[in-house]
Amino acid sequence: MEKKVMLITGASGGLGSSIAEYFVNLNYNLVLHHNKNLPKLDESENVLHVKADLTIEKEVEHLLDVAQNKFGHVDIVINNAGISESTISWKTSVESWEKTISTNLTAPFLVCKHFIPQMKNRKWGRIINISSVVGQTGFIGTAAYTASKAGLIGLTKTLSKELSSSGITANNIALGYFNKGMIRDVPDNLKQEIEQTIPLKRLGEPASINHTIAFIIDDASNYLTGQTINLNGGLYT
């Protein structure tokens, strides 16, 4: 069987690194996007690093060109890259708002815009957007982040309908609180408070994200599209 090619944006972060390490061991070819920090997984015959600012369309086009030059095509897109700048709404600067929306919503749109046509040509593809429970519930001090993650839910629904006859599915994973990724910026006492709000009383493990992605991208999951899958320990149902 031909190896499938997976693009992971934000592949140098905690969750992106976990996804990359899991799927390289499942015999996928990986395109690991990064911006500032290099991915932890070294480049090899089946691992490619590409530096790009995904908020700039020409750099997204460059990412596609480099990926196609290496592997010929990309089958799976995991829109994982994201940022969070926490400020109460009426104190949020326009610059901070626009930076967050550009990184968390415009960038996934641009990646989809440029990677979908080559998926359509092959009549197979999987798009997975990584959203957040706060896009469903809201959270104090995260107006821009919440809006961007809620926007991903709407983008996913529209993509699923536009691509319904193309052999391409589009789904969204709304994450709760995990022990890797942005949680590193949360003080320990606040982490403990967060854990107490989660019905399972603990932070999530990245393994559950990896297994959910594996389920979504499987050929047998071709009837699953336009959905938001909640991985949050029961925090939001």
Side-chain angles (χ1 to χ4, degrees):
M1 290 179 61
E2 183 183 39
K3 281 188 179 181
K4 285 191 167 61
V5 183
M6 174 185 290
L7 165 66
I8 304 168
T9 71
S12 59
L15 294 181
S17 296
S18 173
I19 296 168
E21 289 165 3
Y22 181 81
F23 284 97
V24 75
N25 291 321
L26 291 183
N27 210 28
Y28 284 80
N29 288 325
L30 301 181
V31 180
L32 303 184
H33 156 265
H34 66 98
N35 194 357
K36 296 179 180 178
N37 301 315
L38 283 171
K40 294 179 181 177
L41 204 61
D42 291 335
E43 282 196 295
S44 65
E45 182 180 349
N46 62 324
V47 177
L48 171 68
H49 293 178
V50 186
K51 186 180 187 300
D53 181 342
L54 300 181
T55 67
I56 300 172
E57 189 162 13
K58 286 192 177 298
E59 296 204 19
V60 176
E61 293 172 344
H62 171 72
L63 171 62
L64 175 61
D65 289 343
V66 173
Q68 288 184 316
N69 287 339
K70 172 74 171 178
F71 295 122
H73 62 278
V74 171
D75 303 288
I76 301 155
V77 167
I78 312 293
N79 279 313
N80 168 71
I83 61 170
S84 178
E85 296 188 357
S86 298
T87 314
I88 207 77
S89 58
W90 57 88
K91 295 182 180 179
T92 299
S93 68
V94 172
E95 291 77 14
S96 178
W97 171 274
E98 291 180 344
K99 178 182 177 182
T100 303
I101 296 296
S102 293
T103 303
N104 294 357
L105 184 57
T106 304
F109 158 72
L110 289 173
V111 170
C112 290
K113 173 184 176 180
H114 288 282
F115 279 76
I116 282 172
Q118 49 94 49
M119 289 182 181
K120 285 173 63 68
N121 289 339
R122 292 172 57 81
K123 296 181 170 54
W124 198 97
R126 297 286 186 268
I127 297 168
I128 300 177
N129 294 319
I130 304 297
S131 184
S132 168
V133 65
V134 303
Q136 301 164 313
T137 65
F139 195 86
I140 294 169
T142 64
Y145 182 78
T146 296
S148 68
K149 293 302 187 178
L152 278 179
I153 296 173
L155 174 63
T156 300
K157 289 181 180 295
T158 292
L159 289 174
S160 71
K161 289 177 169 57
E162 292 178 343
L163 299 171
S164 59
S165 62
S166 302
I168 303 167
T169 67
N171 290 285
N172 183 64
I173 303 177
L175 301 181
Y177 298 97
F178 281 75
N179 60 13
K180 282 192 177 181
M182 292 181 182
I183 197 73
R184 69 183 182 276
D185 299 323
V186 177
D188 288 341
N189 63 324
L190 184 52
K191 286 180 190 177
Q192 293 173 5
E193 291 180 20
I194 289 171
E195 288 177 359
Q196 291 309 304
T197 68
I198 302 169
L200 291 185
K201 303 300 181 188
R202 59 180 174 84
L203 301 176
E205 298 283 345
S208 63
I209 302 173
N210 299 333
H211 283 276
T212 301
I213 292 172
F215 168 71
I216 294 171
I217 66 178
D218 190 273
D219 283 332
S221 296
N222 59 10
Y223 202 58
L224 179 71
T225 193
Q227 302 304 307
T228 291
I229 298 173
N230 298 323
L231 283 181
N232 56 39
L235 190 59
Y236 174 86
T237 58

